[in-house]
Amino acid sequence: MELLNSINKNNLPKHLAIIMDGNGRWAKQKGFIRAIGHENGTKSVRLTVEACAKLGIENLTLYAFSTENWKRPKLEVDTLMKLLVNSLKSELKTLQENDIKLNSIGALDKLPKSIYRELNEVIELTKNNSRMTLTLALSYGSREELLNVVKNISDKVKNNIISVDSIDESIINQHLYTHDLPDVDLLIRTSGEHRISNFLLWQIAYAEFYFMDVLWPDFTENHLYEALISYQKRERRFGKTSEQIK
């Protein structure tokens, strides 16, 4: 409660992104198979989503499954997909009760049909919720996203829909998966790793980073609060001097 009371509700990130890392290592440390780590990680997802909604964070994006994750052992991928379907079904009530809109970004056409269908059903059922937008990055890779942006814009130039001279940051933003979301203000990564792993490379241009050693299944509301307090102590200058922003 003390940490929660230290948070300035008027200085929250408009867009919080989290790289949820460490499920496999958590399981290994406890002598479990990796699937148990992923299963326990879903509990941290629920806690985090509810805490963010209650705080008043408008946009939360979770890195749930990357394009590179398809290279993992088939058993682990199948387990992750099964967990995703089960979570979508079981958490619909939580999303509705907390007025949370579900969104998803990535190469969604690569998902198994049953998961794609379940995902779209939950997105449709929550589309009118307005308290917070929860975005799941699934089969997502930022380089692939940017490659698609280049191809789409090039195609429009070729067909005289837009001119080369009109291409600016706003045009690029309009063609991103995240075109309805603001840039990321705060990026959290768990498990002690200090890298971005091909996540929202364009969108985190001016984000604050917060890395922590805790493994994702052990992530609690207090860890979230610690990250937010750290964020609020920082001076965000966006290329300006301290004097200019004051």
Side-chain angles (χ1 to χ4, degrees):
M1 184 61 73
E2 184 178 343
L3 283 174
L4 177 59
N5 291 335
S6 299
I7 295 173
N8 178 1
K9 299 289 183 64
N10 296 315
N11 185 26
L12 293 169
K14 291 188 179 301
H15 188 176
L16 168 64
I18 303 179
I19 299 175
M20 307 177 294
D21 196 16
N23 290 338
R25 271 167 286 171
W26 182 91
K28 186 177 181 180
Q29 286 178 7
K30 297 182 181 299
F32 299 140
I33 60 173
R34 291 176 63 88
I36 301 298
H38 295 306
E39 188 174 330
N40 278 270
T42 62
K43 299 173 184 176
S44 296
V45 170
R46 185 185 307 114
L47 287 173
T48 303
V49 169
E50 291 183 342
C52 285
K54 290 174 183 176
L55 279 168
I57 291 174
E58 297 174 10
N59 300 283
L60 171 64
T61 298
L62 302 178
Y63 203 7
F65 193 87
S66 74
T67 51
E68 289 76 22
N69 287 155
W70 290 114
K71 301 173 186 176
R72 291 189 174 187
K74 185 177 184 301
L75 177 60
E76 183 173 351
V77 172
D78 290 346
T79 300
L80 282 166
M81 292 296 118
K82 184 178 179 181
L83 276 173
L84 177 58
V85 169
N86 291 339
S87 295
L88 288 168
K89 289 179 178 178
S90 63
E91 298 305 326
L92 175 58
K93 182 179 178 183
T94 299
L95 295 175
Q96 299 290 41
E97 288 178 348
N98 288 278
D99 196 23
I100 298 170
K101 174 183 177 180
L102 182 68
N103 181 36
S104 188
I105 58 174
L108 304 180
D109 58 330
K110 294 180 181 178
L111 295 172
K113 290 181 179 179
S114 60
I115 293 173
Y116 185 76
R117 182 172 59 252
E118 189 72 35
L119 178 65
N120 279 310
E121 284 179 8
V122 178
I123 288 173
E124 179 65 24
L125 289 169
T126 62
K127 67 180 182 181
N128 294 320
N129 294 346
S130 58
R131 185 180 190 182
M132 184 177 83
T133 296
L134 168 63
T135 301
L136 299 180
L138 293 167
S139 188
Y140 174 86
S142 191
R143 286 186 172 183
E144 183 177 71
E145 176 184 25
L146 294 172
L147 180 60
N148 288 335
V149 169
V150 172
K151 288 180 176 179
N152 290 334
I153 292 177
S154 297
D155 188 61
K156 288 183 178 180
V157 170
K158 180 181 177 180
N159 290 287
N160 296 315
I161 297 172
I162 59 175
S163 67
V164 171
D165 292 338
S166 69
I167 299 173
D168 56 13
E169 287 188 17
S170 67
I171 292 291
I172 293 174
N173 284 330
Q174 290 168 25
H175 289 80
L176 293 168
Y177 293 140
T178 56
H179 56 84
D180 289 330
L181 299 172
D183 283 346
V184 175
D185 294 307
L186 173 62
L187 172 68
I188 297 172
R189 180 166 188 155
T190 58
S191 87
E193 302 291 351
H194 296 136
R195 56 178 178 270
I196 307 306
S197 296
N198 197 19
F199 185 48
L200 301 175
L201 299 177
W202 176 275
Q203 298 88 337
I204 61 171
Y206 275 101
E208 297 293 326
F209 293 172
Y210 189 85
F211 299 106
M212 57 176 60
D213 292 332
V214 63
L215 301 175
W216 180 249
D218 292 327
F219 188 86
T220 66
E221 295 99 323
N222 280 340
H223 293 117
L224 172 67
Y225 301 154
E226 288 171 6
L228 292 172
I229 290 168
S230 173
Y231 167 81
Q232 293 181 343
K233 290 178 179 178
R234 304 181 190 185
E235 183 181 71
R236 305 187 71 203
R237 297 191 296 274
F238 299 96
K240 298 180 181 179
T241 66
S242 296
E243 290 72 24
Q244 283 178 303
I245 62 173
K246 291 176 183 176

